[in-house]
Amino acid sequence: MNPAEEYILNQPEPYRGILLFLQSVIEGDIPGVELKYKYKIPFYYINGKPYCYLNQSKDYVDLGFWNAAHLSVHLDQMNTEGRKMMKSLRYKALEDIDTTVLKEVLKDAYSVKDKKFWK
């Protein structure tokens, strides 16, 4: 088993369920993603470039976006607390996930996947 998958499966509930749901949406909706284990967390790459990451921290799961400086949709729902460039969707329960928002942000992040990290 891949270390990124181990990370997901070893999380306590409700975080494991959130992570598994996010994994299924990302892998089902985004072409060419590859799940790796980088920086001690699951990280998705497209064509060798970072795309997004999953991180269970404190009492939530972060779905963070690598090229966040270029994102343009649902910015009002993105968390930037304590970070200069990274933005994430943050979930404390599976019921918190608005699948429409999630898919639209994933699509937006995919559209800027080839841009540089900084603007």
Side-chain angles (χ1 to χ4, degrees):
M1 183 181 311
N2 157 339
E5 292 170 337
E6 273 186 56
Y7 173 98
I8 292 169
L9 294 174
N10 287 332
Q11 299 307 313
E13 288 298 347
Y15 312 114
R16 178 178 40 236
I18 296 167
L19 290 162
L20 286 168
F21 181 78
L22 294 173
Q23 179 184 19
S24 71
V25 172
I26 293 165
E27 292 178 7
D29 284 25
I30 304 302
V33 291
E34 182 181 3
L35 181 60
K36 296 184 178 189
Y37 189 70
K38 299 284 184 177
Y39 314 108
K40 299 183 181 179
I41 58 173
F43 231 106
Y44 280 99
Y45 280 70
I46 299 174
N47 297 326
K49 294 180 181 179
Y51 171 67
C52 69
Y53 65 85
L54 302 170
N55 185 30
Q56 192 275 308
S57 181
K58 299 178 187 173
D59 63 342
Y60 57 84
V61 169
D62 257 343
L63 169 57
F65 295 92
W66 190 256
N67 286 346
H70 304 283
L71 296 179
S72 60
V73 301
H74 301 295
L75 298 178
D76 59 321
Q77 297 188 42
M78 304 290 277
N79 185 290
T80 58
E81 183 180 330
R83 299 177 278 193
K84 292 180 181 179
M85 295 302 296
M86 298 301 288
K87 293 181 178 94
S88 65
L89 293 171
R90 187 167 282 181
Y91 304 110
K92 292 187 175 192
L94 197 53
E95 301 79 36
D96 293 343
I97 301 173
D98 180 327
T99 306
T100 301
V101 169
L102 170 61
K103 289 183 175 199
E104 288 174 0
V105 172
L106 288 169
K107 183 179 177 183
D108 189 33
Y110 186 81
S111 75
V112 298
K113 72 184 182 319
D114 295 322
K115 294 194 180 242
K116 295 190 185 290
F117 181 79
W118 303 96
K119 259 192 169 177

